[in-house]
Amino acid sequence: MKEVYFDNNATTQIAPEVAEAIQPFLTTEYGNPSSMHNIGGRIKKHIDKAREQVAALINADPDEILFTSCGTESNNTALRGTLLAQPGKRHILTSKVEHPAVLEVATYLGTRGARVTQLFVDSDGLLNLDDVREAITDETAIVSVMWANNETGVIFPIQEIAEICAEKGVVFHTDAVQAVGKIPIDVKKTPVNMLSLSGHKLHTPKGIGALYIRKKTPLKPFMLGGHQERGRRAGTENVPFIVGLGVAADEAAKYMDDENTRVRALRDKLENALMKTCPDARRNGHKELRLPNTSNISFEFIEGEAILLLMDAEGIAASSGSACTSGSLEPSHVIRALGVPFTAVHGSTRFSLSRYNTEDEVDYVIEKVPPIVEKLRKMSPFVGGDVY
Ligand SMILES: Cc1ncc(COP(=O)(O)O)c(C=O)c1O
């Protein structure tokens, strides 16, 4: 059966260049980069190179890059570490539509004495900058707002939020797990203090991430036990995947134009066709201020999970809500935050593409999805009005 993978915001295919670069570090190059001998020293050079490659993707300095195990760890490090380093400040400002790797950390810190404010978004999924400005107080330890949303792809005004925070002298962290590699990011121009990224959204294996930390940002490590990463994260480095992340960063830079032209055109073709051929379909999230690879469509009156199952039977992999919320029948907190009506919130379906997708695959999905929607509508208790 044909397989079409349109779930790249959940995870991505490993790039062949990455898989190849990792190989020696799974076999002959096994040294510990902290060792004094030659075998260890050799490995350290590869980590240094990867740090330069990752830094280059976001125009950071290499010593501002901290390798972690994933985006979730990067977010935990940013939020917990900032609060630990500023005992007098107890306010966390974030948004309603963050990934659970920020929301749940903030909620936990809320049970340990922090005050948490979650900013609302409008029906396009956008934030109001005045709300940001007004919510910051002398007590604010950190503002954490994502660069781009994993479910809708909506891009937040990070330049403006970073400038507001810089002006007020407040630490600003952005979860850029979905943005890095898809849109240009330059931390020399955008004054964020910290930025999280994750390898497996960038065509590496799962289990590697990074946190950009601007110099002089108040941060205490929460992983203790060794001097790796200049004392900022204890634990022997995941050498193969760090090397892989470096190569993935190089490749992402090479494909940035493709992502914003060809992939964007594929996404638009898919979205326009589905919105046209499926009655009562609505796009979730702002049309323009969006990642080029993501389309989130609600097919009203039917369940996203049912659509996913029938698409799966045709070999099409997509998602309802985020990878984390799928598997539960709870509607997505992101789609709910947009104020999407009840009859549409459950039918939200996310298609997320990557550089490996083709027009042929888009055409296949355009052919297969409308009959699935039509079939489910016929079975829907919400259509016809005789049940509810
Ligand atoms: C916006 C966002 N932040 C954080 C994460 C967590 O990243 P990881 O899976 O690397 O822990 C994800 C994963 O879906 C995400 O989309």
Side-chain angles (χ1 to χ4, degrees), residues 26-62:
L26 299 174
T27 50
T28 51
E29 298 297 308
Y30 50 80
N32 186 327
S34 299
S35 299
M36 297 297 284
H37 43 66
N38 207 14
I39 293 175
R42 213 159 61 212
I43 300 293
K44 181 163 180 312
K45 286 198 185 109
H46 288 282
I47 293 195
D48 291 346
K49 180 173 175 208
R51 211 182 294 282
E52 282 167 19
Q53 290 167 308
V54 173
L57 183 60
I58 57 169
N59 199 20
D61 294 337

mmCIF file of all heavy atoms in Angstrom, residues 26-62:
data_model
loop_
_atom_site.group_PDB
_atom_site.id
_atom_site.type_symbol
_atom_site.label_atom_id
_atom_site.label_comp_id
_atom_site.label_asym_id
_atom_site.label_seq_id
_atom_site.Cartn_x
_atom_site.Cartn_y
_atom_site.Cartn_z
ATOM 1 N N LEU A 26 28.750 5.104 16.257
ATOM 2 C CA LEU A 26 28.066 3.919 16.779
ATOM 3 C C LEU A 26 28.998 2.712 16.714
ATOM 4 O O LEU A 26 28.664 1.629 17.169
ATOM 5 C CB LEU A 26 26.810 3.624 15.953
ATOM 6 C CG LEU A 26 25.736 4.718 15.941
ATOM 7 C CD1 LEU A 26 24.607 4.357 14.970
ATOM 8 C CD2 LEU A 26 25.176 4.943 17.332
ATOM 9 N N THR A 27 30.161 2.899 16.070
ATOM 10 C CA THR A 27 31.074 1.762 15.896
ATOM 11 C C THR A 27 32.466 2.103 16.445
ATOM 12 O O THR A 27 32.716 1.938 17.627
ATOM 13 C CB THR A 27 31.130 1.347 14.404
ATOM 14 O OG1 THR A 27 31.378 2.514 13.613
ATOM 15 C CG2 THR A 27 29.825 0.705 13.951
ATOM 16 N N THR A 28 33.303 2.679 15.622
ATOM 17 C CA THR A 28 34.709 2.839 16.022
ATOM 18 C C THR A 28 34.987 4.048 16.912
ATOM 19 O O THR A 28 35.899 4.039 17.724
ATOM 20 C CB THR A 28 35.590 2.960 14.755
ATOM 21 O OG1 THR A 28 35.023 3.981 13.918
ATOM 22 C CG2 THR A 28 35.631 1.656 13.991
ATOM 23 N N GLU A 29 34.203 5.112 16.756
ATOM 24 C CA GLU A 29 34.489 6.364 17.476
ATOM 25 C C GLU A 29 33.663 6.438 18.758
ATOM 26 O O GLU A 29 32.695 7.191 18.834
ATOM 27 C CB GLU A 29 34.199 7.576 16.559
ATOM 28 C CG GLU A 29 35.048 7.631 15.304
ATOM 29 C CD GLU A 29 36.529 7.778 15.607
ATOM 30 O OE1 GLU A 29 36.914 8.675 16.356
ATOM 31 O OE2 GLU A 29 37.303 6.929 15.103
ATOM 32 N N TYR A 30 34.068 5.649 19.746
ATOM 33 C CA TYR A 30 33.230 5.494 20.941
ATOM 34 C C TYR A 30 33.759 6.251 22.162
ATOM 35 O O TYR A 30 33.205 6.172 23.242
ATOM 36 C CB TYR A 30 33.115 4.010 21.310
ATOM 37 C CG TYR A 30 34.467 3.344 21.364
ATOM 38 C CD1 TYR A 30 35.280 3.500 22.474
ATOM 39 C CD2 TYR A 30 34.943 2.612 20.276
ATOM 40 C CE1 TYR A 30 36.544 2.936 22.509
ATOM 41 C CE2 TYR A 30 36.212 2.057 20.299
ATOM 42 C CZ TYR A 30 37.001 2.224 21.417
ATOM 43 O OH TYR A 30 38.255 1.694 21.449
ATOM 44 N N GLY A 31 34.846 7.001 21.986
ATOM 45 C CA GLY A 31 35.500 7.623 23.145
ATOM 46 C C GLY A 31 34.597 8.584 23.902
ATOM 47 O O GLY A 31 33.580 9.056 23.386
ATOM 48 N N ASN A 32 35.013 8.851 25.158
ATOM 49 C CA ASN A 32 34.286 9.811 25.992
ATOM 50 C C ASN A 32 34.946 11.185 25.800
ATOM 51 O O ASN A 32 36.141 11.344 26.046
ATOM 52 C CB ASN A 32 34.378 9.376 27.467
ATOM 53 C CG ASN A 32 33.529 10.249 28.371
ATOM 54 O OD1 ASN A 32 33.359 11.445 28.131
ATOM 55 N ND2 ASN A 32 33.001 9.648 29.415
ATOM 56 N N PRO A 33 34.157 12.180 25.366
ATOM 57 C CA PRO A 33 34.771 13.476 25.053
ATOM 58 C C PRO A 33 35.439 14.141 26.255
ATOM 59 O O PRO A 33 36.241 15.059 26.078
ATOM 60 C CB PRO A 33 33.592 14.319 24.549
ATOM 61 C CG PRO A 33 32.365 13.616 24.993
ATOM 62 C CD PRO A 33 32.708 12.174 25.106
ATOM 63 N N SER A 34 35.135 13.682 27.475
ATOM 64 C CA SER A 34 35.778 14.293 28.652
ATOM 65 C C SER A 34 37.122 13.632 28.970
ATOM 66 O O SER A 34 37.847 14.105 29.851
ATOM 67 C CB SER A 34 34.874 14.162 29.884
ATOM 68 O OG SER A 34 33.669 14.826 29.659
ATOM 69 N N SER A 35 37.454 12.521 28.292
ATOM 70 C CA SER A 35 38.700 11.810 28.601
ATOM 71 C C SER A 35 39.910 12.602 28.121
ATOM 72 O O SER A 35 39.842 13.326 27.125
ATOM 73 C CB SER A 35 38.719 10.434 27.927
ATOM 74 O OG SER A 35 37.648 9.664 28.402
ATOM 75 N N MET A 36 41.043 12.380 28.831
ATOM 76 C CA MET A 36 42.265 13.132 28.515
ATOM 77 C C MET A 36 43.000 12.557 27.308
ATOM 78 O O MET A 36 43.820 13.230 26.701
ATOM 79 C CB MET A 36 43.222 13.088 29.721
ATOM 80 C CG MET A 36 42.675 13.748 30.972
ATOM 81 S SD MET A 36 42.404 15.502 30.721
ATOM 82 C CE MET A 36 44.086 16.099 30.797
ATOM 83 N N HIS A 37 42.711 11.282 26.999
ATOM 84 C CA HIS A 37 43.521 10.652 25.941
ATOM 85 C C HIS A 37 43.073 11.078 24.545
ATOM 86 O O HIS A 37 42.032 11.735 24.374
ATOM 87 C CB HIS A 37 43.511 9.124 26.082
ATOM 88 C CG HIS A 37 42.149 8.565 26.393
ATOM 89 N ND1 HIS A 37 41.116 8.632 25.517
ATOM 90 C CD2 HIS A 37 41.675 7.961 27.513
ATOM 91 C CE1 HIS A 37 40.054 8.070 26.058
ATOM 92 N NE2 HIS A 37 40.368 7.662 27.287
ATOM 93 N N ASN A 38 43.869 10.631 23.599
ATOM 94 C CA ASN A 38 43.660 10.991 22.205
ATOM 95 C C ASN A 38 42.288 10.576 21.681
ATOM 96 O O ASN A 38 41.614 11.326 20.969
ATOM 97 C CB ASN A 38 44.776 10.292 21.402
ATOM 98 C CG ASN A 38 45.076 11.048 20.143
ATOM 99 O OD1 ASN A 38 44.663 12.196 20.001
ATOM 100 N ND2 ASN A 38 45.763 10.401 19.230
ATOM 101 N N ILE A 39 41.869 9.364 22.088
ATOM 102 C CA ILE A 39 40.582 8.831 21.581
ATOM 103 C C ILE A 39 39.441 9.744 22.035
ATOM 104 O O ILE A 39 38.515 10.047 21.276
ATOM 105 C CB ILE A 39 40.399 7.370 22.054
ATOM 106 C CG1 ILE A 39 41.462 6.498 21.373
ATOM 107 C CG2 ILE A 39 38.992 6.849 21.766
ATOM 108 C CD1 ILE A 39 41.507 5.057 21.821
ATOM 109 N N GLY A 40 39.523 10.206 23.287
ATOM 110 C CA GLY A 40 38.502 11.124 23.800
ATOM 111 C C GLY A 40 38.597 12.498 23.134
ATOM 112 O O GLY A 40 37.590 13.075 22.715
ATOM 113 N N GLY A 41 39.813 12.993 23.007
ATOM 114 C CA GLY A 41 40.033 14.325 22.428
ATOM 115 C C GLY A 41 39.481 14.424 21.013
ATOM 116 O O GLY A 41 38.917 15.452 20.613
ATOM 117 N N ARG A 42 39.616 13.318 20.284
ATOM 118 C CA ARG A 42 39.114 13.266 18.906
ATOM 119 C C ARG A 42 37.591 13.505 18.909
ATOM 120 O O ARG A 42 37.054 14.210 18.073
ATOM 121 C CB ARG A 42 39.419 11.867 18.380
ATOM 122 C CG ARG A 42 39.725 11.812 16.940
ATOM 123 C CD ARG A 42 40.483 10.574 16.568
ATOM 124 N NE ARG A 42 39.791 9.321 16.842
ATOM 125 C CZ ARG A 42 40.413 8.176 17.173
ATOM 126 N NH1 ARG A 42 41.725 8.138 17.292
ATOM 127 N NH2 ARG A 42 39.724 7.074 17.381
ATOM 128 N N ILE A 43 36.939 12.878 19.857
ATOM 129 C CA ILE A 43 35.473 12.977 19.924
ATOM 130 C C ILE A 43 35.070 14.416 20.257
ATOM 131 O O ILE A 43 34.117 14.957 19.698
ATOM 132 C CB ILE A 43 34.916 12.013 21.005
ATOM 133 C CG1 ILE A 43 35.296 10.574 20.684
ATOM 134 C CG2 ILE A 43 33.420 12.166 21.151
ATOM 135 C CD1 ILE A 43 34.661 10.006 19.463
ATOM 136 N N LYS A 44 35.827 15.008 21.160
ATOM 137 C CA LYS A 44 35.474 16.375 21.580
ATOM 138 C C LYS A 44 35.455 17.327 20.373
ATOM 139 O O LYS A 44 34.596 18.197 20.274
ATOM 140 C CB LYS A 44 36.455 16.864 22.649
ATOM 141 C CG LYS A 44 36.102 18.247 23.114
ATOM 142 C CD LYS A 44 36.736 18.664 24.401
ATOM 143 C CE LYS A 44 36.312 20.080 24.765
ATOM 144 N NZ LYS A 44 36.428 21.051 23.681
ATOM 145 N N LYS A 45 36.390 17.085 19.456
ATOM 146 C CA LYS A 45 36.431 17.962 18.271
ATOM 147 C C LYS A 45 35.130 17.862 17.462
ATOM 148 O O LYS A 45 34.656 18.841 16.902
ATOM 149 C CB LYS A 45 37.622 17.579 17.384
ATOM 150 C CG LYS A 45 38.928 18.034 17.974
ATOM 151 C CD LYS A 45 40.029 18.056 16.921
ATOM 152 C CE LYS A 45 41.353 18.391 17.575
ATOM 153 N NZ LYS A 45 42.289 17.259 17.647
ATOM 154 N N HIS A 46 34.567 16.667 17.420
ATOM 155 C CA HIS A 46 33.309 16.495 16.670
ATOM 156 C C HIS A 46 32.156 17.217 17.378
ATOM 157 O O HIS A 46 31.269 17.767 16.724
ATOM 158 C CB HIS A 46 32.991 15.007 16.498
ATOM 159 C CG HIS A 46 33.910 14.334 15.526
ATOM 160 N ND1 HIS A 46 33.772 14.462 14.161
ATOM 161 C CD2 HIS A 46 35.009 13.560 15.725
ATOM 162 C CE1 HIS A 46 34.725 13.781 13.554
ATOM 163 N NE2 HIS A 46 35.503 13.219 14.476
ATOM 164 N N ILE A 47 32.183 17.187 18.719
ATOM 165 C CA ILE A 47 31.128 17.899 19.462
ATOM 166 C C ILE A 47 31.280 19.402 19.236
ATOM 167 O O ILE A 47 30.289 20.105 19.028
ATOM 168 C CB ILE A 47 31.194 17.542 20.964
ATOM 169 C CG1 ILE A 47 30.809 16.075 21.123
ATOM 170 C CG2 ILE A 47 30.297 18.449 21.788
ATOM 171 C CD1 ILE A 47 30.479 15.650 22.509
ATOM 172 N N ASP A 48 32.511 19.868 19.252
ATOM 173 C CA ASP A 48 32.738 21.305 19.011
ATOM 174 C C ASP A 48 32.210 21.708 17.636
ATOM 175 O O ASP A 48 31.597 22.761 17.476
ATOM 176 C CB ASP A 48 34.238 21.635 19.083
ATOM 177 C CG ASP A 48 34.775 21.506 20.507
ATOM 178 O OD1 ASP A 48 33.952 21.438 21.443
ATOM 179 O OD2 ASP A 48 36.015 21.454 20.669
ATOM 180 N N LYS A 49 32.451 20.829 16.663
ATOM 181 C CA LYS A 49 31.991 21.151 15.303
ATOM 182 C C LYS A 49 30.452 21.206 15.259
ATOM 183 O O LYS A 49 29.861 22.130 14.694
ATOM 184 C CB LYS A 49 32.516 20.112 14.308
ATOM 185 C CG LYS A 49 32.067 20.418 12.899
ATOM 186 C CD LYS A 49 32.684 19.519 11.853
ATOM 187 C CE LYS A 49 32.060 19.842 10.498
ATOM 188 N NZ LYS A 49 32.062 18.720 9.603
ATOM 189 N N ALA A 50 29.821 20.229 15.903
ATOM 190 C CA ALA A 50 28.344 20.200 15.907
ATOM 191 C C ALA A 50 27.791 21.452 16.592
ATOM 192 O O ALA A 50 26.788 22.024 16.152
ATOM 193 C CB ALA A 50 27.851 18.940 16.623
ATOM 194 N N ARG A 51 28.473 21.888 17.634
ATOM 195 C CA ARG A 51 28.011 23.093 18.346
ATOM 196 C C ARG A 51 28.072 24.308 17.408
ATOM 197 O O ARG A 51 27.185 25.142 17.396
ATOM 198 C CB ARG A 51 28.900 23.329 19.578
ATOM 199 C CG ARG A 51 28.180 23.989 20.733
ATOM 200 C CD ARG A 51 29.105 24.244 21.909
ATOM 201 N NE ARG A 51 29.617 23.065 22.569
ATOM 202 C CZ ARG A 51 28.920 22.318 23.427
ATOM 203 N NH1 ARG A 51 27.690 22.645 23.736
ATOM 204 N NH2 ARG A 51 29.458 21.244 23.986
ATOM 205 N N GLU A 52 29.134 24.337 16.606
ATOM 206 C CA GLU A 52 29.242 25.449 15.631
ATOM 207 C C GLU A 52 28.126 25.362 14.583
ATOM 208 O O GLU A 52 27.548 26.371 14.195
ATOM 209 C CB GLU A 52 30.592 25.393 14.905
ATOM 210 C CG GLU A 52 31.726 25.918 15.745
ATOM 211 C CD GLU A 52 33.098 25.570 15.150
ATOM 212 O OE1 GLU A 52 33.178 25.258 13.940
ATOM 213 O OE2 GLU A 52 34.080 25.624 15.919
ATOM 214 N N GLN A 53 27.837 24.136 14.138
ATOM 215 C CA GLN A 53 26.817 23.969 13.094
ATOM 216 C C GLN A 53 25.434 24.384 13.607
ATOM 217 O O GLN A 53 24.679 25.069 12.922
ATOM 218 C CB GLN A 53 26.780 22.506 12.620
ATOM 219 C CG GLN A 53 28.016 22.103 11.817
ATOM 220 C CD GLN A 53 28.109 20.594 11.640
ATOM 221 O OE1 GLN A 53 28.029 19.829 12.613
ATOM 222 N NE2 GLN A 53 28.276 20.154 10.412
ATOM 223 N N VAL A 54 25.099 23.952 14.842
ATOM 224 C CA VAL A 54 23.788 24.292 15.408
ATOM 225 C C VAL A 54 23.717 25.800 15.644
ATOM 226 O O VAL A 54 22.715 26.452 15.335
ATOM 227 C CB VAL A 54 23.522 23.493 16.709
ATOM 228 C CG1 VAL A 54 22.248 23.970 17.389
ATOM 229 C CG2 VAL A 54 23.432 22.002 16.399
ATOM 230 N N ALA A 55 24.804 26.362 16.162
ATOM 231 C CA ALA A 55 24.837 27.807 16.410
ATOM 232 C C ALA A 55 24.606 28.573 15.100
ATOM 233 O O ALA A 55 23.848 29.548 15.056
ATOM 234 C CB ALA A 55 26.181 28.203 17.033
ATOM 235 N N ALA A 56 25.235 28.097 14.015
ATOM 236 C CA ALA A 56 25.139 28.813 12.740
ATOM 237 C C ALA A 56 23.688 28.881 12.242
ATOM 238 O O ALA A 56 23.279 29.874 11.637
ATOM 239 C CB ALA A 56 26.030 28.147 11.697
ATOM 240 N N LEU A 57 22.917 27.846 12.503
ATOM 241 C CA LEU A 57 21.529 27.811 12.006
ATOM 242 C C LEU A 57 20.698 28.956 12.581
ATOM 243 O O LEU A 57 19.768 29.435 11.940
ATOM 244 C CB LEU A 57 20.886 26.451 12.336
ATOM 245 C CG LEU A 57 19.472 26.221 11.828
ATOM 246 C CD1 LEU A 57 19.374 26.325 10.301
ATOM 247 C CD2 LEU A 57 18.929 24.870 12.295
ATOM 248 N N ILE A 58 21.030 29.390 13.814
ATOM 249 C CA ILE A 58 20.241 30.480 14.426
ATOM 250 C C ILE A 58 21.116 31.727 14.669
ATOM 251 O O ILE A 58 20.738 32.615 15.406
ATOM 252 C CB ILE A 58 19.554 30.010 15.729
ATOM 253 C CG1 ILE A 58 20.579 29.478 16.744
ATOM 254 C CG2 ILE A 58 18.492 28.977 15.446
ATOM 255 C CD1 ILE A 58 19.992 29.259 18.131
ATOM 256 N N ASN A 59 22.295 31.737 14.070
ATOM 257 C CA ASN A 59 23.261 32.839 14.205
ATOM 258 C C ASN A 59 23.633 33.118 15.668
ATOM 259 O O ASN A 59 23.695 34.288 16.089
ATOM 260 C CB ASN A 59 22.735 34.109 13.508
ATOM 261 C CG ASN A 59 23.857 35.092 13.213
ATOM 262 O OD1 ASN A 59 25.034 34.705 13.178
ATOM 263 N ND2 ASN A 59 23.523 36.351 13.027
ATOM 264 N N ALA A 60 23.862 32.058 16.426
ATOM 265 C CA ALA A 60 24.319 32.201 17.823
ATOM 266 C C ALA A 60 25.829 31.999 17.863
ATOM 267 O O ALA A 60 26.450 31.630 16.861
ATOM 268 C CB ALA A 60 23.637 31.143 18.692
ATOM 269 N N ASP A 61 26.425 32.242 19.031
ATOM 270 C CA ASP A 61 27.831 31.871 19.219
ATOM 271 C C ASP A 61 27.845 30.422 19.719
ATOM 272 O O ASP A 61 26.967 30.040 20.506
ATOM 273 C CB ASP A 61 28.489 32.782 20.253
ATOM 274 C CG ASP A 61 28.576 34.213 19.735
ATOM 275 O OD1 ASP A 61 28.548 34.397 18.491
ATOM 276 O OD2 ASP A 61 28.646 35.141 20.562
ATOM 277 N N PRO A 62 28.840 29.634 19.303
ATOM 278 C CA PRO A 62 28.831 28.220 19.690
ATOM 279 C C PRO A 62 28.727 28.001 21.201
ATOM 280 O O PRO A 62 28.018 27.088 21.637
ATOM 281 C CB PRO A 62 30.157 27.691 19.137
ATOM 282 C CG PRO A 62 30.463 28.599 17.988
ATOM 283 C CD PRO A 62 29.915 29.943 18.346
#
